[in-house]
Amino acid sequence: MSKKINPFVVYGHIPAEYFCDRREESKKLRKFLQNQQNVVLSAARRMGKTKLVDYVFDLPEIKDNYITVSIDILDTGNLSEFVFALGNAVFRKIARRSDRLMKLFPMVMKSLQASFGYDPIQGTPTFDVKLGDLIRPEYTLKEIFDYIDQADQRCLIVIDEFQQITNYPEKNVEATLRTYMQQTSNANFVFAGSQRRIMSEMFGSEKRPFYNSAREINLEPIALDIYTEFVQKHFHAAGKTIDAEAIGFVYEKFDGVTLYNQQIMNDAYDMVDEGGHCNLDMVSAIVSEYVEENDKRLRELMQFVTEQQKAVLYAIKEDEPVKAITSGMFTKKHRLKSPSATQSAVKALLRSDIVTRKDGLYSVSDPLLDLWLDRQIKK
């Protein structure tokens, strides 16, 4: 007898029956891509960008007619690392599709010929590129796009945490990528990003290369009533029940962030036996345990935050959301050094995504960190 899956999937592939809502967003994404348009997909971290893309890519009309390629560039620090990630993904998802595409790869990727060997048994090239092999990354990048143009199906390429390219030390990275992508005739792109301010500037400013180059989809939290119905439906299907009040409590604590909602509901579902009931006290305890579980990781994160940045972070936490962050009143109330020192600290906190700014208001980016800070303040 097979074990029943926990319907509140946190990691890995989500079967369609356990995917919550996002009907309008998935419909838009599918329509835009099928009409050869690029998409900029913006959302706070852990809101479900990657899961939405995976869901759409699993639809028969996409899966049967396109080659899908996904890379996450959050941990890349320069153009060479970007090209390395893209090249490896293209090799895995495109070159391995057929002997023709495999043999074509070294013919097009001339700048990496030293990285190719030959498998006499399979009769195909072998590929073992190292980061140090990318002597001229901008040239290799052009070769990758030339190769994509020769794929046997149209390609859909997702670049997650796309705002990371603004941190690369090389000049004109945005312009270089925009040029090659614009010239590509066999691919469309999903530019996913979690730092909305930067993504908005990249695609919304007339002075930036990617201006007006993609349709926009913004992911907001799934509506509470829709999420409540989803949760209660799956509890009921397993002969369990859960109070709407308990679901609302979790939703409010984590600002509706999908990953955290799912994590707590996953634990609650596992805790309740068939015929059992989950109430507010139970989920409150689960939330408390989850914050404690992440204590070590969050302490390590805070080790990289300077004393001045911590002072500003705690001040934001106390007053959030904060508007006049460099005002004399805010500085005096929280005994900060000066408005200019606060401004410098805020810039660093924004860059590290510890603090976010939306509609001119500053707040702690991660609801889990927000709850952890509550604990530190009360100690």
Coordinates of all heavy atoms in Angstrom, one line a residue, residues 36-92:
Q36 N 5.2 34.2 -27.9 CA 6.6 34.6 -28.1 C 6.9 36.0 -27.4 O 7.6 36.8 -28.0 CB 6.9 34.7 -29.6 CG 6.9 33.4 -30.4 CD 5.5 33.0 -30.8 OE1 4.8 33.8 -31.4 NE2 5.1 31.8 -30.5
Q37 N 6.5 36.1 -26.2 CA 6.8 37.3 -25.5 C 7.6 36.9 -24.3 O 7.4 35.9 -23.7 CB 5.5 38.0 -25.0 CG 4.6 38.5 -26.2 CD 3.5 39.3 -25.7 OE1 3.6 40.4 -25.2 NE2 2.3 38.8 -25.8
N38 N 8.5 37.8 -23.9 CA 9.3 37.6 -22.7 C 8.5 38.1 -21.5 O 7.6 38.9 -21.6 CB 10.6 38.4 -22.8 CG 11.5 38.0 -23.9 OD1 11.5 36.8 -24.3 ND2 12.3 38.9 -24.5
V39 N 8.8 37.6 -20.3 CA 8.1 37.9 -19.1 C 9.0 38.3 -18.0 O 10.0 37.6 -17.8 CB 7.2 36.7 -18.7 CG1 6.5 37.0 -17.4 CG2 6.2 36.3 -19.8
V40 N 8.7 39.3 -17.2 CA 9.4 39.6 -16.0 C 8.5 39.2 -14.9 O 7.3 39.7 -14.8 CB 9.8 41.1 -15.9 CG1 8.7 42.1 -16.1 CG2 10.5 41.4 -14.6
L41 N 8.9 38.3 -14.0 CA 8.1 37.7 -13.0 C 8.7 38.2 -11.6 O 9.8 37.7 -11.2 CB 8.1 36.2 -13.1 CG 7.3 35.4 -12.0 CD1 5.8 35.7 -12.1 CD2 7.5 33.9 -12.3
S42 N 8.0 39.0 -11.0 CA 8.5 39.6 -9.7 C 7.7 39.2 -8.5 O 6.4 39.1 -8.6 CB 8.5 41.2 -9.8 OG 9.4 41.6 -10.8
A43 N 8.4 38.9 -7.4 CA 7.7 38.5 -6.2 C 8.7 38.5 -5.1 O 9.9 38.4 -5.3 CB 7.0 37.1 -6.3
A44 N 8.2 38.7 -3.9 CA 9.1 38.5 -2.7 C 9.6 37.1 -2.7 O 9.0 36.2 -3.3 CB 8.3 38.8 -1.4
R45 N 10.7 36.9 -2.0 CA 11.2 35.5 -1.9 C 10.3 34.6 -1.2 O 9.6 35.0 -0.3 CB 12.6 35.5 -1.2 CG 13.7 36.0 -2.0 CD 15.1 35.6 -1.6 NE 16.1 36.1 -2.4 CZ 17.2 36.7 -2.0 NH1 17.4 36.9 -0.7 NH2 18.0 37.2 -2.9
R46 N 10.3 33.4 -1.6 CA 9.5 32.3 -1.0 C 8.0 32.5 -1.3 O 7.1 31.8 -0.7 CB 9.7 32.2 0.5 CG 11.1 32.1 0.9 CD 11.3 32.2 2.4 NE 12.7 32.3 2.7 CZ 13.5 33.4 2.8 NH1 12.9 34.6 2.5 NH2 14.7 33.4 3.1
M47 N 7.6 33.3 -2.3 CA 6.2 33.5 -2.7 C 5.8 32.5 -3.7 O 4.6 32.4 -4.0 CB 6.0 34.9 -3.2 CG 4.6 35.4 -3.2 SD 3.9 35.5 -1.6 CE 4.6 37.0 -0.9
G48 N 6.7 31.7 -4.3 CA 6.3 30.7 -5.3 C 6.5 30.9 -6.7 O 5.9 30.3 -7.6
K49 N 7.5 31.8 -7.0 CA 7.9 32.1 -8.4 C 8.3 30.8 -9.2 O 7.7 30.5 -10.3 CB 9.0 33.1 -8.6 CG 8.7 34.5 -8.0 CD 9.9 35.4 -8.2 CE 11.2 35.0 -7.7 NZ 11.2 34.8 -6.2
T50 N 9.2 30.1 -8.6 CA 9.7 28.9 -9.2 C 8.7 27.8 -9.4 O 8.6 27.2 -10.5 CB 10.9 28.3 -8.4 OG1 11.9 29.3 -8.3 CG2 11.5 27.1 -9.1
K51 N 7.8 27.7 -8.4 CA 6.7 26.7 -8.5 C 5.7 27.0 -9.5 O 5.2 26.2 -10.2 CB 6.1 26.5 -7.1 CG 7.0 26.1 -6.0 CD 7.7 24.7 -6.3 CE 8.5 24.3 -5.1 NZ 9.3 23.1 -5.5
L52 N 5.5 28.3 -9.7 CA 4.5 28.8 -10.7 C 5.1 28.4 -12.1 O 4.4 27.9 -13.0 CB 4.3 30.3 -10.6 CG 3.5 30.9 -11.8 CD1 2.1 30.3 -11.8 CD2 3.4 32.4 -11.6
V53 N 6.4 28.7 -12.3 CA 7.0 28.4 -13.6 C 7.0 26.9 -13.9 O 6.6 26.4 -15.0 CB 8.4 29.0 -13.7 CG1 9.2 28.5 -14.9 CG2 8.4 30.5 -13.6
D54 N 7.3 26.1 -12.8 CA 7.3 24.7 -13.0 C 5.9 24.1 -13.4 O 5.8 23.3 -14.2 CB 7.8 24.0 -11.7 CG 9.3 24.2 -11.4 OD1 10.0 24.6 -12.3 OD2 9.7 23.9 -10.3
Y55 N 4.9 24.7 -12.7 CA 3.5 24.3 -13.0 C 3.2 24.6 -14.4 O 2.6 23.7 -15.1 CB 2.6 25.1 -12.1 CG 1.1 24.8 -12.3 CD1 0.5 23.7 -11.9 CD2 0.4 25.8 -13.0 CE1 -0.9 23.5 -12.2 CE2 -1.0 25.6 -13.3 CZ -1.6 24.4 -12.9 OH -2.9 24.2 -13.1
V56 N 3.5 25.8 -14.9 CA 3.2 26.1 -16.3 C 4.0 25.3 -17.3 O 3.5 24.8 -18.3 CB 3.4 27.6 -16.5 CG1 3.3 28.0 -18.0 CG2 2.4 28.5 -15.7
F57 N 5.2 25.0 -17.0 CA 6.1 24.2 -17.9 C 5.6 22.8 -17.9 O 5.9 22.0 -18.8 CB 7.5 24.3 -17.4 CG 8.3 25.5 -17.8 CD1 7.6 26.5 -18.5 CD2 9.6 25.7 -17.6 CE1 8.2 27.7 -18.9 CE2 10.3 26.8 -18.0 CZ 9.6 27.8 -18.6
D58 N 4.8 22.3 -16.9 CA 4.3 21.0 -16.9 C 3.0 20.8 -17.7 O 2.6 19.7 -17.9 CB 4.1 20.5 -15.4 CG 5.2 19.7 -14.9 OD1 6.1 19.3 -15.7 OD2 5.2 19.4 -13.7
L59 N 2.4 21.9 -18.1 CA 1.2 21.9 -18.9 C 1.5 21.2 -20.2 O 2.5 21.5 -20.8 CB 0.6 23.3 -19.1 CG 0.2 24.0 -17.8 CD1 -0.2 25.5 -18.1 CD2 -1.0 23.3 -17.1
P60 N 0.6 20.3 -20.7 CA 0.9 19.6 -22.0 C 1.2 20.6 -23.1 O 2.1 20.3 -23.9 CB -0.4 18.8 -22.2 CG -1.0 18.7 -20.8 CD -0.6 19.9 -20.1
E61 N 0.5 21.7 -23.2 CA 0.7 22.6 -24.3 C 2.1 23.3 -24.3 O 2.6 23.7 -25.3 CB -0.4 23.7 -24.4 CG -0.5 24.5 -23.1 CD -1.6 23.9 -22.2 OE1 -1.6 22.7 -22.0 OE2 -2.4 24.7 -21.7
I62 N 2.7 23.3 -23.1 CA 4.1 23.8 -23.0 C 5.1 22.6 -23.1 O 6.0 22.7 -23.9 CB 4.3 24.6 -21.7 CG1 3.4 25.8 -21.7 CG2 5.8 25.0 -21.6 CD1 3.7 26.8 -22.7
K63 N 4.9 21.6 -22.3 CA 5.8 20.5 -22.2 C 6.0 19.8 -23.6 O 7.1 19.3 -23.9 CB 5.3 19.5 -21.2 CG 6.2 18.3 -20.9 CD 5.8 17.5 -19.7 CE 4.4 17.0 -19.8 NZ 4.1 16.2 -18.6
D64 N 5.0 19.7 -24.4 CA 5.0 18.9 -25.6 C 5.5 19.8 -26.8 O 5.8 19.2 -27.9 CB 3.6 18.4 -26.0 CG 3.1 17.4 -24.9 OD1 3.9 16.9 -24.2 OD2 1.9 17.2 -24.9
N65 N 5.7 21.1 -26.6 CA 6.0 21.9 -27.7 C 7.2 22.8 -27.6 O 7.6 23.5 -28.5 CB 4.8 22.8 -28.1 CG 3.6 22.0 -28.5 OD1 3.6 21.4 -29.6 ND2 2.6 22.0 -27.7
Y66 N 7.8 22.8 -26.4 CA 8.9 23.7 -26.1 C 10.0 22.9 -25.3 O 9.7 21.9 -24.6 CB 8.5 24.9 -25.2 CG 7.5 25.8 -25.9 CD1 6.1 25.5 -25.7 CD2 7.9 26.9 -26.7 CE1 5.2 26.3 -26.3 CE2 6.9 27.7 -27.3 CZ 5.6 27.4 -27.1 OH 4.6 28.2 -27.7
I67 N 11.2 23.4 -25.4 CA 12.4 23.0 -24.6 C 12.4 24.0 -23.5 O 12.5 25.2 -23.7 CB 13.7 22.9 -25.3 CG1 13.6 22.0 -26.6 CG2 14.8 22.5 -24.4 CD1 14.8 22.1 -27.5
T68 N 12.4 23.5 -22.2 CA 12.5 24.5 -21.1 C 13.8 24.4 -20.4 O 14.3 23.3 -20.1 CB 11.3 24.2 -20.1 OG1 11.4 22.8 -19.7 CG2 10.0 24.4 -20.8
V69 N 14.4 25.5 -20.1 CA 15.7 25.6 -19.5 C 15.6 26.5 -18.3 O 15.0 27.6 -18.4 CB 16.8 26.1 -20.5 CG1 18.1 26.2 -19.8 CG2 16.9 25.2 -21.7
S70 N 16.1 26.1 -17.1 CA 16.0 27.0 -15.9 C 17.4 27.1 -15.3 O 18.0 26.1 -15.1 CB 15.0 26.4 -14.9 OG 13.7 26.4 -15.5
I71 N 17.7 28.3 -14.9 CA 18.9 28.5 -14.1 C 18.6 29.5 -13.0 O 17.8 30.4 -13.1 CB 20.1 29.1 -14.9 CG1 19.8 30.4 -15.6 CG2 20.5 28.0 -16.0 CD1 21.1 31.1 -16.2
D72 N 19.3 29.3 -11.9 CA 19.2 30.3 -10.7 C 20.6 30.9 -10.6 O 21.6 30.2 -10.4 CB 18.8 29.5 -9.5 CG 18.6 30.4 -8.3 OD1 19.1 31.5 -8.2 OD2 17.9 30.0 -7.3
I73 N 20.6 32.2 -10.7 CA 21.9 32.9 -10.7 C 22.2 33.7 -9.4 O 23.1 34.6 -9.4 CB 22.1 33.9 -11.9 CG1 21.0 35.0 -11.9 CG2 21.9 33.1 -13.2 CD1 21.3 36.1 -12.9
L74 N 21.4 33.4 -8.3 CA 21.6 34.1 -7.1 C 23.0 34.1 -6.6 O 23.5 35.0 -6.0 CB 20.6 33.6 -6.0 CG 20.7 34.3 -4.7 CD1 20.3 35.8 -4.8 CD2 19.8 33.6 -3.6
D75 N 23.7 32.9 -6.7 CA 25.0 32.8 -6.2 C 26.1 33.1 -7.2 O 27.3 32.8 -7.0 CB 25.2 31.4 -5.6 CG 25.1 30.3 -6.7 OD1 24.7 30.6 -7.8 OD2 25.4 29.1 -6.4
T76 N 25.8 33.7 -8.3 CA 26.8 34.1 -9.3 C 27.3 35.5 -9.0 O 26.6 36.3 -8.5 CB 26.3 34.0 -10.7 OG1 25.2 35.0 -10.9 CG2 25.8 32.6 -11.1
G77 N 28.6 35.7 -9.2 CA 29.2 37.0 -8.9 C 29.7 37.7 -10.0 O 30.2 38.9 -9.9
N78 N 29.8 37.2 -11.2 CA 30.3 37.9 -12.4 C 29.8 37.2 -13.7 O 29.0 36.2 -13.6 CB 31.8 37.8 -12.4 CG 32.4 36.4 -12.3 OD1 32.0 35.5 -13.0 ND2 33.4 36.3 -11.3
L79 N 30.1 37.8 -14.8 CA 29.6 37.3 -16.1 C 30.1 35.9 -16.4 O 29.3 35.1 -16.9 CB 30.1 38.3 -17.2 CG 29.5 37.9 -18.6 CD1 28.0 37.9 -18.6 CD2 30.1 38.9 -19.6
S80 N 31.3 35.5 -16.0 CA 31.8 34.2 -16.3 C 31.0 33.1 -15.6 O 30.7 32.1 -16.2 CB 33.3 34.1 -15.8 OG 34.1 34.8 -16.7
E81 N 30.6 33.4 -14.3 CA 29.8 32.5 -13.6 C 28.4 32.4 -14.2 O 27.8 31.3 -14.2 CB 29.7 32.9 -12.1 CG 31.1 32.7 -11.4 CD 31.0 33.2 -10.0 OE1 30.0 33.6 -9.5 OE2 32.1 33.1 -9.3
F82 N 27.9 33.5 -14.7 CA 26.6 33.4 -15.4 C 26.6 32.6 -16.6 O 25.8 31.7 -16.8 CB 26.1 34.9 -15.8 CG 24.9 34.9 -16.6 CD1 23.6 35.1 -16.0 CD2 24.9 34.8 -18.0 CE1 22.5 35.1 -16.7 CE2 23.8 34.9 -18.7 CZ 22.5 35.0 -18.1
V83 N 27.7 32.8 -17.4 CA 27.8 32.0 -18.7 C 28.0 30.5 -18.4 O 27.5 29.7 -19.0 CB 29.0 32.6 -19.5 CG1 29.3 31.7 -20.7 CG2 28.7 34.0 -19.9
F84 N 28.8 30.2 -17.3 CA 29.0 28.9 -16.9 C 27.7 28.2 -16.5 O 27.4 27.1 -17.0 CB 29.9 28.9 -15.7 CG 30.3 27.5 -15.1 CD1 31.2 26.7 -15.7 CD2 29.7 27.1 -14.0 CE1 31.5 25.5 -15.2 CE2 30.0 25.8 -13.5 CZ 30.9 25.0 -14.1
A85 N 26.8 28.9 -15.8 CA 25.5 28.3 -15.4 C 24.6 28.1 -16.6 O 24.0 27.1 -16.7 CB 24.8 29.2 -14.4
L86 N 24.6 29.1 -17.5 CA 23.7 29.0 -18.6 C 24.2 27.9 -19.6 O 23.5 27.1 -20.1 CB 23.7 30.3 -19.4 CG 22.8 30.4 -20.6 CD1 21.4 30.1 -20.3 CD2 22.9 31.8 -21.3
G87 N 25.6 27.9 -19.8 CA 26.1 26.9 -20.7 C 25.9 25.4 -20.3 O 25.5 24.6 -21.1
N88 N 26.0 25.2 -19.0 CA 25.8 23.9 -18.5 C 24.3 23.5 -18.6 O 24.0 22.3 -18.9 CB 26.2 23.8 -17.0 CG 27.7 23.4 -16.9 OD1 28.1 22.3 -17.1 ND2 28.5 24.4 -16.5
A89 N 23.4 24.4 -18.3 CA 22.0 24.2 -18.4 C 21.6 23.9 -19.9 O 20.8 23.0 -20.1 CB 21.2 25.3 -17.9
V90 N 22.1 24.6 -20.8 CA 21.8 24.4 -22.2 C 22.3 23.1 -22.7 O 21.7 22.3 -23.4 CB 22.4 25.6 -23.0 CG1 22.4 25.2 -24.5 CG2 21.6 26.9 -22.8
F91 N 23.5 22.7 -22.2 CA 24.1 21.4 -22.6 C 23.2 20.3 -22.1 O 22.9 19.3 -22.8 CB 25.5 21.2 -22.0 CG 26.1 19.9 -22.3 CD1 26.6 19.6 -23.6 CD2 26.2 18.9 -21.3 CE1 27.2 18.4 -23.9 CE2 26.8 17.7 -21.6 CZ 27.2 17.4 -22.9
R92 N 22.7 20.4 -20.8 CA 21.9 19.3 -20.2 C 20.5 19.2 -20.9 O 20.1 18.1 -21.1 CB 21.7 19.5 -18.7 CG 23.0 19.3 -17.9 CD 22.6 19.3 -16.4 NE 21.8 20.4 -16.0 CZ 22.2 21.5 -15.5 NH1 23.5 21.8 -15.5 NH2 21.4 22.5 -15.2

